Amino acid sequence: MIAKLSKITIILLLAFSTACCPCRFNRRNAAPLNGTVWHLVQLAGRDMVFDGGEFEMSFGTDGRLTGFGACNGFSADYTATSKGVLDIGLINSTRVYCPNSSVEQQLFTELDNATHYEIDGQIMLLLQNGEIRAIFSAVKEVK
């Protein structure tokens, strides 16, 4: 009886410890892909720091990605699955020249080449075939 009780206790402790794992907490409390404004914080392995409003985007429930780069607005159609598969269509943007236009073009390239996304808490990873290409932080939920 004591041996059975020990095994049951160990199993219950393992179950409770994995259920309380911080990574599961972050996924449960993750910002949604749709309806969140995402701010670029890293691109191709380089940290990015911008003023508010620059390099932000949101995925609408209507299948439209909209955003603002360095000085150009942009949009594209997209499809995404709950398993993280992401396909972003042709990106349309205004064509104003500005100091960070090369970063903006690189972001458009990474968006175009994205194959997956992962969200952990308030962070979204944009991936291309398993390689992290951009990291975004949730700024706010769109009303």
Side-chain angles (χ1 to χ4, degrees), residues 42-55:
Q42 191 178 89
L43 183 63
R46 293 187 330 226
D47 290 340
M48 300 284 150
V49 178
F50 305 105
D51 294 332
E54 290 182 314
F55 292 94

Side-chain angles (χ1 to χ4, degrees), residues 20-136:
C20 296
C21 172
C23 59
R24 290 179 190 235
F25 177 79
N26 285 339
R27 290 214 171 112
R28 269 194 317 242
N29 295 312
L33 176 69
N34 299 9
T36 301
V37 175
W38 297 100
H39 181 76
L40 180 66
V41 295
Q42 191 178 89
L43 183 63
R46 293 187 330 226
D47 290 340
M48 300 284 150
V49 178
F50 305 105
D51 294 332
E54 290 182 314
F55 292 94
E56 292 183 352
M57 64 182 188
S58 60
F59 294 84
T61 57
D62 60 354
R64 293 287 296 164
L65 166 67
T66 57
F68 194 80
C71 57
N72 290 292
F74 64 91
S75 65
D77 290 329
Y78 80 93
T79 57
T81 69
S82 61
K83 299 281 186 195
V85 176
L86 180 65
D87 182 31
I88 298 174
L90 179 65
I91 297 172
N92 299 304
S93 74
T94 56
R95 296 178 186 250
V96 176
Y97 177 78
C98 53
N100 284 327
S101 62
S102 63
V103 175
E104 192 175 78
Q105 288 304 309
Q106 185 177 9
L107 173 62
F108 294 164
T109 299
E110 298 302 349
L111 289 170
D112 187 47
N113 293 330
T115 58
H116 291 80
Y117 72 94
E118 289 182 18
I119 297 175
D120 188 10
Q122 301 297 300
I123 300 296
M124 177 179 64
L125 306 176
L126 189 69
L127 301 114
Q128 179 184 359
N129 299 320
E131 181 183 348
I132 298 172
R133 301 304 304 158
I135 300 175
F136 296 85

